[in-house]
Amino acid sequence: MTDPLLALRPWEAPEVTSWGRLAANAVDRRSGALSLDGDWRFQLLPAPDAPVGGVWSTVYVPGAWTLQDTDDLPQYTNVRMPFAEFPPGSPAANPTGVHEREVDVPADWSGRRMVLQVGAAESVLLVHVDGRPVGISKDSHLAAEFDLTGVVRAGERFVLRLTVVKWSDASHIEDQDHWWHGGITRSVLLYATDPLHLADVTVRAGYDGALCVDCRVRDARGALPGGWHVSADLDGRPLAQDREFDRLNAEDERVSDFLGEARIRATVPEVRTWNAETPELYDLTVRLHRPDGTVADTSRHRVGFRDVEIAGRDLLVNGERVFVRGVNRHDFHPLTGRTVSPDDLRADLTLLKRFGFNAVRTSHYPADPALYDLADELGLYVVDEADVESHDHAHEIADDPRYLNAFVDRVSRMVLRDRNHPSVIVWSLGNESDYGANHDAAAGWVRRHDPSRPIQYEGAAKLDWAATDDASDIACPMYAPIEDCVAHALSGHQTRPLIQCEYSHAMGNSNGTLADHWAAIESTPGLQGGFIWEFWDHGILQRVSDGRPAGRAGAGLYDNGVTAPGHRWAYGGDFGETIHDGAFVADGVVFPDRTPKPALYEHREIAAPVRIECYRHEGIVLGNHQHFRGLEWLAGTWELSLADGRTLTAPAELPALRPGETAAVPLPFTVPRDGGEAWLTLRVTTAEDLPWAPRGTEMCVPQVRLRGPSVSWDVPVEGVVRVDDEGLLLHPLLTAGPTLCLWRAPTDNDELGGTAPRWRAWGLDALVRKAVSVRRDGGRVTVDAEYAGAAGVVRHRQVLTPVEGGILVGEEAELPEEFDDVARVGTVFETAAGLDLLEWFGQGPWESYPDRGAGAPVGHHALPVDALFTPYLRPQESGGRHGVRHFTLSAPDATGLAIELDEPRQVSVTRFRAEDLTAAAHHDELVPRPGCVVHLDAAHRGLGTASCGPDTSAAYLIRPGVHRWSWTLRVL
């Protein structure tokens, strides 16, 4: 007999979005449920209609089979679909996972309604109980529930089979920038309710303390009994019921029961309101009572009283215009793929809070339910995004009526699940799916059902940022140049808030000009922020020996962005797939192990809650840059750094400032007359333990310069400078003398933005040093050379002069007009082995570059050389430190080199030459050199975000002409 579920062929039928699936609701049933997580029997079939048979293996649920030693491995694509079929088609070779286990139904569930909940399955789910068909669901990122009351019995065992078809018509609207997996990726539960049960609960809690609780009630046995009622309490205090609706007499033909509705209204005096800075929550308990007064069902919710509205071109939370300091976030884990635990989610969100983020966009689908609970608790605004992205076939699908039900189904189910969370302030209709009638239909449903929140959709708003008649209440462009955003805000035509849904693409060594971007946002009315792309580098831990995912056994094999020997972070193409998009999946502000990248410190400083506004001779002006709270939750320490090596500290007493206020505080130090350049830093930490940060967690390090550098001169002395026949400096601690360098190992932005191909065409990666002339004038040596590329010649001069204790190197390079945008102009040399500690005065301690240095304060820093390098997933230029005035490279016995620079310069010290990094695809291919490779740059090009978005601004480009710099080399 043909299986009726297979007969529907749901993997190729877009009109079939579900069969036998219950309606979505906001009643949380996780408490008291029977967890079915664990090991399941498993078979991987070549196609959904292939027969089940043969040997069973085991997989862990929840978990993707693509990470559990099957023959179906992960695949990464960004825009392209991983198969050739056009919508709604799917490939004949269609991996299908059959998951099976026995389930023992508790004996005390007799007479109760029993429901199966499958948290998420990619991409089509077929449910069978003891071989009997139960239901179908699509949508890989929302739970599907099925009523099993009529097919299972309390106290008995049944066989549950969950069949997951990997590819389907639905895959065409799940074409998100992420790994493709297959499997059951969120928890599976079985729960029981009384036949008389809460079918749904809607909570609306306003900024003014007004509370409205709407309840829907059903009875699985048929018509609702007379006399049922609901009650509720808030933080344990009963709420009076203002009104009860009579049960409705309209029969629901699908489930043959009756629907009742009830409403409770109340006003909470002196209400504590919710916002991302002070996320005040109340505990609400709703009870459904039988006619005899006993409790039939209970639903618990955490309620935040807050309002969201758009007033003109401002998005307001509780009447306040807030800056949206957001990040895009996928559900991701390097061992389990899309499966994340509550502990994983808490670690994600606490890290974001510590680095100044106040918002998350759930790109590009509804997140695991626990994320919203945590966002409510910790304080994060959420743009909740529906599981709709048809990137490769966006134009065709947007108006395709075959996909109309899928669009509305996915958007509406997201809203029905998440509408009670105060953290959710905006609904998103999806991502990168063009714009058509299907979006308008989904938007119409949301506007009718939940008018309390705005809607956004980039595909609608990108047609005209100033429009007022599309499916977006917010202009939410992607990667718009900040100049264009400012121009729009100043044009007089802006009609709605402009908050970029994606900006500052964090691929590799990136996020250049982030501080410039935010300086424009904070100074331009009408601009309110945006969401960095993205949180994670989606590297999967891979065993190098066999090229397969490490899976759950990989726990503990990585730390601080570095994998254990024999393993590496895999990206597109590393699992043998022919269709892939390479390292484009590695574009987050954290590494796959959640280690922060240097760009996170940049964001932390840009989002600083307290800032030094200016320095006056009578003191320092501090400002509170929060929206809702004072500075009482913060503590501070003053730190004075002098160029001569001294650092002074003193406790800081932060003034009582309301949001937006400023105040002058006395200068905490009498600045010594000597010591040269002087910088004052306020190290701001949490003053008490918080749910997302222990006491003493550093929140920001605002800084101001109190005194500029003093002028010093190196006086020539009698001595001899030694050079070899090629005019290269000979020195006992140098294994390669200083030469000119215009090349850097291309960053992802350089490669994908098009600058690296130009550099190669000019021959900057293989300059030939020739036409060398050496002139001696007493102890001074002048070396003139030409560096020939494929498209021009650079003239370079070094003047080497003996000075007290060392050698002064004066340099000049003349770039021809052809070289109108190079990577760097500077010096590179290599040292002997054993110099393993770098100490410097400049920006640090983390990596910084000319257009990404706001988060690296000037001071005295020290790190082992091996800790200076940043292990971006694809090796590239990294490890630089900007604004370095002087540094030492020393051995354990304190011998080594000291370098003084004529002015603050870009410096890098690593174990790798640029060509080493350029040639490697992964870090396991790199072999550290025994000595140090040192770059001293007169100028270094900015990083930008051109892998997806604007390049660096003109101020950070290197132009043709004459560049001069000098430095002094001494022996410690």
Side-chain angles (χ1 to χ4, degrees):
M1 181 177 178
T2 303
D3 187 319
L5 301 189
L6 292 177
L8 289 173
R9 302 187 67 84
W11 53 91
E12 58 185 16
E15 68 278 5
V16 179
T17 59
S18 67
W19 183 85
R21 189 182 69 195
L22 297 177
N25 63 80
V27 181
D28 187 358
R29 300 296 187 181
R30 287 173 286 183
S31 177
L34 177 66
S35 172
L36 302 184
D37 293 352
D39 290 331
W40 288 53
R41 294 188 298 275
F42 180 76
Q43 285 192 31
L44 185 62
L45 308 180
D49 48 5
V52 178
V55 179
W56 292 84
S57 62
T58 301
V59 296
Y60 190 88
V61 173
W65 70 63
T66 41
L67 295 174
Q68 299 194 59
D69 282 325
T70 69
D71 291 332
D72 185 34
L73 297 176
Q75 182 176 3
Y76 166 65
T77 64
N78 176 20
V79 177
R80 297 177 293 176
M81 289 297 293
F83 51 80
E85 283 74 11
F86 282 82
S90 56
N94 193 350
T96 300
V98 181
H99 306 72
E100 193 173 273
R101 63 162 290 171
E102 284 80 26
V103 179
D104 292 314
V105 183
D108 58 1
W109 284 9
S110 180
R112 295 175 65 78
R113 167 179 170 264
M114 286 172 271
V115 178
L116 172 71
Q117 182 187 98
V118 181
E122 185 174 349
S123 67
V124 177
L125 172 68
L126 311 177
V127 180
H128 293 81
V129 169
D130 291 333
R132 298 167 60 187
V134 171
I136 294 172
S137 179
K138 295 179 184 176
D139 189 342
S140 296
H141 300 95
L142 281 175
E145 292 192 336
F146 304 90
D147 193 331
L148 303 188
T149 308
V151 292
V152 302
R153 293 185 178 182
E156 296 184 1
R157 171 175 291 188
F158 69 90
V159 176
L160 176 62
R161 175 177 290 184
L162 303 180
T163 302
V164 179
V165 184
K166 183 175 183 180
W167 305 124
S168 71
D169 59 89
S171 301
H172 293 283
I173 56 171
E174 295 180 357
D175 182 19
Q176 290 123 352
D177 182 7
H178 199 292
W179 292 97
W180 292 97
H181 288 294
I184 300 167
T185 54
R186 293 181 187 159
S187 290
V188 181
L189 308 173
L190 184 67
Y191 67 85
T193 73
D194 192 274
L196 181 66
H197 62 278
L198 291 165
D200 205 355
V201 175
T202 303
V203 180
R204 295 181 176 87
Y207 173 63
D208 59 359
L211 177 65
C212 179
V213 182
D214 286 325
C215 303
R216 287 194 163 202
V217 177
R218 290 185 186 274
D219 194 320
R221 294 164 299 197
L224 285 166
W228 64 267
H229 62 281
V230 295
S231 67
D233 61 58
L234 194 69
D235 278 358
R237 304 174 71 174
L239 297 176
Q241 181 174 334
D242 290 345
R243 179 180 177 189
E244 178 180 321
F245 291 102
D246 294 329
R247 66 181 183 272
L248 304 182
N249 291 319
E251 183 177 352
D252 185 325
E253 296 179 353
R254 288 179 302 159
V255 291
S256 298
D257 66 359
F258 296 86
L259 174 67
E261 295 182 350
R263 171 173 291 174
I264 295 175
R265 293 182 184 271
T267 300
V268 179
E270 299 180 353
V271 67
R272 306 185 311 273
T273 57
W274 187 98
N275 59 73
E277 294 171 13
T278 57
E280 297 284 354
L281 293 172
Y282 291 76
D283 290 318
L284 172 70
T285 303
V286 180
R287 297 180 179 88
L288 170 63
H289 299 269
R290 302 183 185 92
D292 63 3
T294 58
V295 175
D297 201 2
T298 302
S299 183
R300 293 178 174 84
H301 306 264
R302 303 205 75 190
V303 176
F305 288 81
R306 65 101 186 94
D307 288 337
V308 182
E309 62 179 318
I310 290 178
R313 55 182 188 169
D314 294 326
L315 174 69
L316 307 180
V317 175
N318 298 342
E320 294 289 331
R321 180 179 185 268
V322 297
F323 286 124
V324 177
R325 305 181 186 276
V327 71
N328 288 277
R329 181 196 166 278
H330 279 283
D331 279 350
F332 170 78
H333 191 280
L335 303 180
T336 58
R338 303 198 200 282
T339 301
V340 291
S341 69
D343 288 343
D344 293 328
L345 290 163
R346 183 174 288 274
D348 290 357
L349 299 192
T350 56
L351 183 69
L352 289 174
K353 290 283 288 187
R354 293 177 191 182
F355 281 90
F357 291 94
N358 69 357
V360 171
R361 175 178 174 232
T362 66
S363 55
H364 297 295
Y365 42 80
D368 185 283
L371 178 136
Y372 304 86
D373 296 334
L374 288 165
D376 294 343
E377 173 196 338
L378 301 176
L380 284 160
Y381 303 123
V382 174
V383 172
D384 204 6
E385 189 150 275
D387 189 14
V388 177
E389 180 171 345
S390 55
H391 208 155
D392 198 15
H393 300 285
H395 184 68
E396 307 97 290
I397 290 177
D399 285 307
D400 189 336
R402 293 175 297 179
Y403 280 93
L404 174 63
N405 287 345
F407 274 60
V408 176
D409 183 63
R410 288 163 182 250
V411 172
S412 63
R413 292 178 68 228
M414 171 187 71
V415 173
L416 291 169
R417 187 193 73 168
D418 298 335
R419 64 186 182 275
N420 291 343
H421 291 280
S423 56
V424 177
I425 63 168
V426 177
W427 301 117
S428 170
L429 303 180
N431 184 67
E432 292 179 319
S433 301
D434 206 337
Y435 179 42
N438 294 339
H439 295 98
D440 287 335
W445 188 94
V446 177
R447 294 192 196 283
R448 171 77 176 185
H449 184 82
D450 181 27
S452 70
R453 292 178 177 92
I455 297 171
Q456 75 172 47
Y457 176 59
E458 181 267 344
K462 74 178 179 182
L463 302 177
D464 181 0
W465 291 355
T468 58
D469 59 351
D470 57 34
S472 188
D473 301 317
I474 297 170
C476 46
M478 290 183 176
Y479 309 106
I482 190 61
E483 298 82 4
D484 292 356
C485 297
V486 171
H488 175 67
L490 299 179
S491 69
H493 301 298
Q494 186 178 5
T495 59
R496 50 187 171 182
L498 196 156
I499 303 170
Q500 293 208 58
C501 67
E502 294 178 23
Y503 80 106
S504 195
H505 192 251
M507 185 176 183
N509 193 357
S510 188
N511 302 106
T513 71
L514 188 61
D516 299 342
H517 199 103
W518 270 94
I521 291 172
E522 293 188 355
S523 61
T524 308
L527 305 185
Q528 277 191 257
F531 295 82
I532 288 176
W533 186 267
E534 65 162 312
F535 181 56
W536 286 100
D537 270 359
H538 297 174
I540 292 175
L541 190 67
Q542 181 186 46
R543 302 190 297 257
V544 177
S545 58
D546 59 9
R548 301 180 71 83
R552 292 176 179 269
L557 295 177
Y558 51 84
D559 184 46
N560 292 325
V562 179
T563 63
H567 295 79
R568 67 182 183 187
W569 297 125
Y571 50 76
D574 286 338
F575 294 109
E577 64 270 39
T578 56
I579 300 176
H580 66 84
D581 286 308
F584 208 73
V585 76
D587 48 11
V589 291
V590 300
F591 289 106
D593 65 352
R594 209 182 285 107
T595 298
K597 290 184 181 177
L600 263 190
Y601 294 94
E602 185 84 349
H603 185 274
R604 188 183 73 175
E605 207 57 39
I606 292 166
V610 57
R611 306 182 195 176
I612 298 176
E613 305 293 339
C614 62
Y615 161 53
R616 299 171 182 162
H617 291 298
E618 65 270 20
I620 304 296
V621 177
L622 297 180
N624 180 355
H625 283 253
Q626 301 171 103
H627 299 295
F628 295 101
R629 63 178 166 179
L631 303 182
E632 63 281 351
W633 65 286
L634 298 170
T637 301
W638 291 109
E639 187 176 279
L640 179 66
S641 299
L642 302 172
D644 66 2
R646 286 178 288 171
T647 300
L648 309 177
T649 61
E653 184 175 342
L654 300 180
L657 295 176
R658 291 180 297 180
E661 288 186 340
T662 62
V665 298
L667 194 65
F669 301 100
T670 299
V671 182
R673 293 180 178 273
D674 60 346
E677 195 174 2
W679 288 80
L680 181 67
T681 304
L682 178 60
R683 295 198 173 271
V684 180
T685 62
T686 52
E688 57 190 21
D689 289 337
L690 300 171
W692 48 270
R695 182 174 182 263
T697 299
E698 193 167 81
M699 294 304 301
C700 58
V701 282
Q703 186 178 68
V704 65
R705 191 172 75 172
L706 302 183
R707 186 170 62 208
S710 56
V711 178
S712 61
W713 300 94
D714 278 306
V715 180
V717 298
E718 293 295 328
V720 177
V721 174
R722 297 177 60 240
V723 297
D724 64 15
D725 293 340
E726 297 297 321
L728 297 176
L729 176 65
L730 293 173
H731 190 282
L733 291 179
L734 300 187
T735 59
T739 58
L740 178 69
C741 184
L742 307 181
W743 169 260
R744 68 185 182 196
T747 66
D748 293 311
N749 292 330
D750 296 337
E751 291 285 16
L752 298 176
T755 53
R758 291 204 308 273
W759 296 340
R760 290 190 183 93
W762 295 341
L764 301 188
D765 58 336
L767 292 175
V768 177
R769 188 172 185 266
K770 62 180 184 178
V772 178
S773 70
V774 179
R775 291 182 289 114
R776 298 183 182 274
D777 181 9
R780 175 181 295 178
V781 176
T782 300
V783 181
D784 287 299
E786 291 183 352
Y787 287 76
V793 174
V794 180
R795 291 180 173 83
H796 178 240
R797 170 171 289 180
Q798 279 185 340
V799 180
L800 310 172
T801 305
V803 294
E804 185 67 38
I807 300 167
L808 171 64
V809 182
E811 306 203 51
E812 178 181 294
E814 183 179 358
L815 272 61
E817 290 299 319
E818 295 88 345
F819 294 173
D820 64 351
D821 179 10
V822 300
R824 63 178 5 135
V825 178
T827 306
V828 61
F829 59 84
E830 297 181 24
T831 74
L835 307 183
D836 299 331
L837 177 66
L838 180 72
E839 299 174 84
W840 74 99
F841 181 62
Q843 291 186 240
W846 26 82
E847 176 190 271
S848 56
Y849 283 83
D851 62 349
R852 200 193 69 212
V858 174
H860 299 284
H861 308 286
L863 282 173
V865 169
D866 291 336
L868 295 167
F869 182 69
T870 306
Y872 298 108
L873 263 64
R874 188 189 67 80
Q876 57 196 273
E877 161 66 32
S878 72
R881 298 312 191 266
H882 190 56
V884 176
R885 282 76 166 162
H886 56 77
F887 66 88
T888 62
L889 263 173
S890 60
D893 62 1
T895 62
L897 298 173
I899 303 290
E900 297 175 11
L901 298 148
D902 59 339
E903 61 181 80
R905 302 288 190 182
Q906 182 81 16
V907 170
S908 74
V909 181
T910 70
R911 301 292 190 195
F912 307 106
R913 295 175 180 170
E915 54 263 38
D916 299 336
L917 300 171
T918 305
H922 295 87
H923 285 273
D924 60 296
E925 301 167 18
L926 290 172
V927 179
R929 295 181 181 272
C932 300
V933 179
V934 181
H935 283 273
L936 314 175
D937 292 333
H940 196 102
R941 190 186 193 278
L943 300 169
T945 65
S947 56
C948 188
D951 198 352
T952 192
S953 61
Y956 304 110
L957 299 179
I958 302 174
R959 297 306 188 186
V962 177
H963 298 262
R964 296 183 178 90
W965 67 104
S966 64
W967 48 285
T968 304
L969 171 65
R970 290 186 170 89
V971 176
L972 290 177

